Amino acid sequence: MVVAHQRGVYAFALQLTGNHEDAEDLSQDVFIQAHRMLGTFRGDGSIRGWLLRIAANRFLSSRRKKSLAFTPNLDLEEHAAPADAAAPDEDAQAGAIRQEVARALEALSPQERTAFALRFQNDFAVKGIAETMGVAEGTVKSLLFRSIQKLRGRLGHLVADLSS
């Protein structure tokens, strides 16, 4: 189970925490918790969904207990173009955009960031997000609406810059 889902759980944890160290800790907590709770897995959903639900719950629980600061992960090597493919000006511009996106994500509440990551980075449906987060579907819709509005407010100028 760990080998098959390790990358997906880690990627989700990184989306939530914004840094490698906290993502590794959260991923490890998820698999420890999953091992302890293996007998409670009903099998009516996917193991991936169950693991991401554990990750979301552990993340939100830790955020309530501690006021951890979101530290954006700006080291996106796996998503970057090869070094010789882009001009230095484009690299600088891409870095500035990544920083703006990271700051915009930082402005989201933990619940908004969790709902946003599940929906737009992990392709969960509203119902699946509600089940994962343990909230009503209407709450998920509200969280998604607020997160989109906040991101649009902070990043809308980037769209205008790209279209001109």
Side-chain angles (χ1 to χ4, degrees):
M1 172 174 65
V2 174
V3 174
H5 297 284
Q6 186 174 8
R7 288 188 75 163
V9 169
Y10 173 79
F12 180 60
L14 186 58
Q15 293 162 356
L16 296 176
T17 63
N19 69 72
H20 294 292
E21 294 81 20
D22 288 342
E24 287 174 355
D25 290 345
L26 180 57
S27 297
Q28 185 175 9
D29 284 349
V30 167
F31 287 108
I32 290 169
Q33 187 71 17
H35 179 70
R36 289 182 186 148
M37 297 174 48
L38 198 53
T40 66
F41 180 64
R42 296 185 307 258
D44 55 351
S46 71
I47 289 181
R48 176 182 177 266
W50 182 62
L51 291 171
L52 295 186
R53 179 171 40 252
I54 293 170
N57 289 336
R58 301 293 286 184
F59 169 72
L60 293 171
S61 174
S62 71
R63 292 296 297 229
R64 282 194 279 284
K65 290 178 186 173
K66 308 175 206 173
S67 287
L68 298 175
F70 177 76
T71 50
N73 172 35
L74 299 177
D75 182 22
L76 302 175
E77 295 170 8
E78 64 189 27
H79 301 294
D84 60 318
D89 290 346
E90 291 172 356
D91 285 345
Q93 185 178 12
I97 290 171
R98 278 195 299 274
Q99 287 180 334
E100 281 194 63
V101 170
R103 281 193 296 271
L105 288 170
E106 184 178 3
L108 300 178
S109 74
Q111 293 81 8
E112 290 166 343
R113 193 174 328 122
T114 300
F116 184 85
L118 287 169
R119 176 68 187 108
F120 298 108
Q121 295 171 313
N122 290 285
D123 296 325
F124 271 51
V126 169
K127 182 177 181 178
I129 298 169
E131 291 170 1
T132 298
M133 294 181 69
V135 297
E137 289 183 38
T139 301
V140 171
K141 291 176 183 177
S142 176
L143 289 168
L144 291 172
F145 178 79
R146 286 196 317 255
S147 66
I148 291 168
Q149 290 301 103
K150 285 181 180 179
L151 292 173
R152 186 176 286 149
R154 291 183 173 268
L155 301 172
H157 68 281
L158 292 176
V159 175
D161 291 348
L162 292 174
S163 62
S164 58

